[in-house]
Amino acid sequence: MSTTATRDIPFFPPDLFEDDRDALLEAVHGIGTGAAQKFILGEHTARFEHALRDRLTAADVVACSSGTSALTLVLAAMDVGPGDQVVVPAFGCAPLASTVIGCGARPVFADIDPVALTMDPAAAEAAVTGRTRALMPAHVFSVMADMPRYRELTRQYGLRLVEDSALAQGGTLQGRPAGLWGDAGVYSFVQVKTFGMPGEGGAVVTGDAALATRARMLRNHGQDGEHRFLHHRVGYNSRFDEVMALFQLHRLDGLEARLARRAEISAYYSTRFAPLAEAGITAPPVGGDGRCHYVYTLLTERRDELRAHLAAHGIQTHVYYPRTLPAQPAFAPYAPPGERWPNAESAARRNLSLPLYPHLGDTRAEYVADTVCAFAHRTRRTTR
């Protein structure tokens, strides 16, 4: 295979929305020059919410300014606050801890499953105390958390279940969409997510209409959407952009095809990488229930060497979460001294993500896989 045509494969491709350029420009011009001069929370946002609600068969969807903000709205709508504890994974993105701290509660870190990399239900159960108010499992990379077990735990202990599904839109487990396993879930529409857009945005998704009503009020400074300048609660500025709502409506019909292409590339990678375990490279399994193909991530003890090898061949990679959350300076004060989270620490040290996006062509995907396999074969030779 010629490397000339395949070199310089970006991890964050700059042309994700090239095919939708005209629709984006029309949306900007139409809303920017429209007589209504309505730039946030207008008719397009409402249509977008209704489209997602109908697609999910949810009670409601509340579009907001980001996935992080969606978590904040959910916790605030549940009245989680000072004196409460929320059990969160020790491995993952900062908002898992920061949104809990922001509402005055305390994050309690639980270790993760060493293979799925999602929060381990047994570790989460062990972290429950009399002050625990909620469990907040998160779907990571390409695998959904064990949500049936978390539903059991929250029923058993009388807790709320917040599902961080920001990375998992389009995923399903036992026929139930990601985001609808808990009291509420969240989506993120950041560029590289499965339903990403060229801007910032997110959504609260829920089967609880009353919780959605509270979240909807909180996203706009505590107003109810009917009586302007009447503030029922102390809220937030977490409003959704009309241009992005119109753009996402345009792209919604193509979402299934893009998800299918992501799954196809992931399955190809996993098939190619399955024999590499003896070389110290662990890949996600091929297919299976509860898969969501946001990021394709390998685990390897020789991460820096593999990353350098791929870079030398023009393939960009990315390391997500190189530190556990308890090891972050911002969150270390909330971690008990001397406590360890060995599986989370191992994942932080070993994870490496490969290019995965819908318009990654077969030739380029093959080149990525060939290059990883070549590294593994070289590693096997040098360690014999």
Side-chain angles (χ1 to χ4, degrees):
M1 179 186 303
S2 170
T3 60
T4 304
T6 52
R7 288 184 66 90
D8 300 322
I9 301 177
F11 187 83
F12 299 107
D15 56 348
L16 266 176
F17 308 107
E18 185 64 28
D19 291 344
D20 305 293
R21 177 194 295 223
D22 290 343
L24 178 58
L25 294 177
E26 288 173 10
V28 172
H29 183 268
I31 292 170
T33 61
Q37 289 293 283
K38 184 76 170 178
F39 303 113
I40 54 170
L41 300 185
E43 62 172 309
H44 301 303
T45 299
R47 288 173 52 219
F48 179 52
E49 291 174 333
H50 293 161
L52 291 182
R53 181 195 65 195
D54 293 346
R55 177 187 177 88
L56 295 165
T57 318
D60 208 351
V61 171
V62 181
C64 58
S65 62
S66 69
T68 299
S69 184
L71 283 178
T72 296
L73 295 177
V74 169
L75 292 170
M78 292 177 174
D79 293 319
V80 173
D84 294 331
Q85 295 178 348
V86 178
V87 179
V88 304
F91 177 74
C93 60
L96 286 164
S98 64
T99 56
V100 174
I101 296 167
C103 69
R106 186 179 188 90
V108 178
F109 300 107
D111 207 358
I112 62 172
D113 181 275
V115 177
L117 307 184
T118 57
M119 187 163 68
D120 179 4
E125 182 177 15
V128 172
T129 72
R131 295 171 57 192
T132 304
R133 185 71 182 280
L135 304 182
M136 190 191 290
H139 311 313
V140 179
F141 301 145
S142 64
V143 180
M144 290 177 62
D146 187 354
M147 298 310 298
R149 179 59 180 145
Y150 283 113
R151 284 171 71 94
E152 293 174 7
L153 289 174
T154 52
R155 283 195 293 264
Q156 179 180 347
Y157 291 99
L159 305 174
R160 305 304 295 265
L161 180 55
V162 181
E163 182 183 355
D164 185 347
S165 46
L167 312 185
Q169 187 170 359
T172 61
L173 178 62
Q174 298 182 6
R176 186 188 297 268
L180 291 181
W181 278 93
D183 294 284
V186 305
Y187 292 148
S188 169
F189 305 131
V190 168
Q191 176 190 7
V192 294
K193 298 298 197 302
T194 55
F195 193 29
M197 64 189 194
E200 187 85 62
V204 174
V205 297
T206 182
D208 184 337
L211 189 149
T213 297
R214 292 193 292 275
R216 192 176 299 280
M217 183 180 294
L218 287 163
R219 76 172 172 184
N220 192 16
H221 299 296
Q223 299 173 94
D224 57 21
E226 296 181 7
H227 305 92
R228 195 176 181 191
F229 302 129
L230 175 60
H231 303 273
H232 302 276
R233 294 187 58 170
V234 176
Y236 308 88
N237 178 0
S238 182
R239 302 172 296 204
F240 201 77
D241 182 276
E242 281 286 276
V243 170
M244 290 295 99
L246 186 55
F247 185 67
Q248 290 297 78
L249 283 165
H250 159 76
R251 298 186 77 239
L252 185 58
D253 285 343
L255 178 57
E256 287 301 331
R258 295 193 299 274
L259 292 172
R261 177 58 181 166
R262 284 176 173 268
E264 182 181 16
I265 297 168
S266 294
Y268 172 75
Y269 281 163
S270 289
T271 301
R272 292 289 308 276
F273 301 152
L276 304 185
E278 62 185 54
I281 295 176
T282 303
V286 177
D289 197 15
R291 292 298 302 277
C292 46
H293 302 283
Y294 158 55
V295 165
Y296 189 91
T297 302
L298 299 172
L299 295 176
T300 174
E301 294 290 347
R302 304 180 74 167
R303 178 176 69 192
D304 292 345
E305 294 175 59
L306 175 56
R307 192 176 194 194
H309 173 80
L310 290 167
H313 289 79
I315 300 168
Q316 295 181 14
T317 58
H318 195 67
V319 175
Y320 286 91
Y321 324 133
R323 293 186 181 204
T324 65
L325 290 178
Q328 295 286 356
F331 310 132
Y334 300 90
E339 187 167 343
R340 299 293 301 273
W341 297 266
N343 294 334
E345 292 162 8
S346 175
R349 186 181 70 253
R350 298 164 61 216
N351 78 88
L352 182 67
S353 296
L354 304 179
L356 175 65
Y357 31 88
H359 63 298
L360 184 68
D362 288 349
T363 300
R364 288 190 155 201
E366 290 168 8
Y367 179 64
V368 172
D370 288 345
T371 309
V372 172
C373 290
F375 174 84
H377 296 327
R378 186 186 73 186
T379 299
R380 276 197 288 254
R381 288 197 303 269
T382 59
T383 54
R384 284 176 181 169

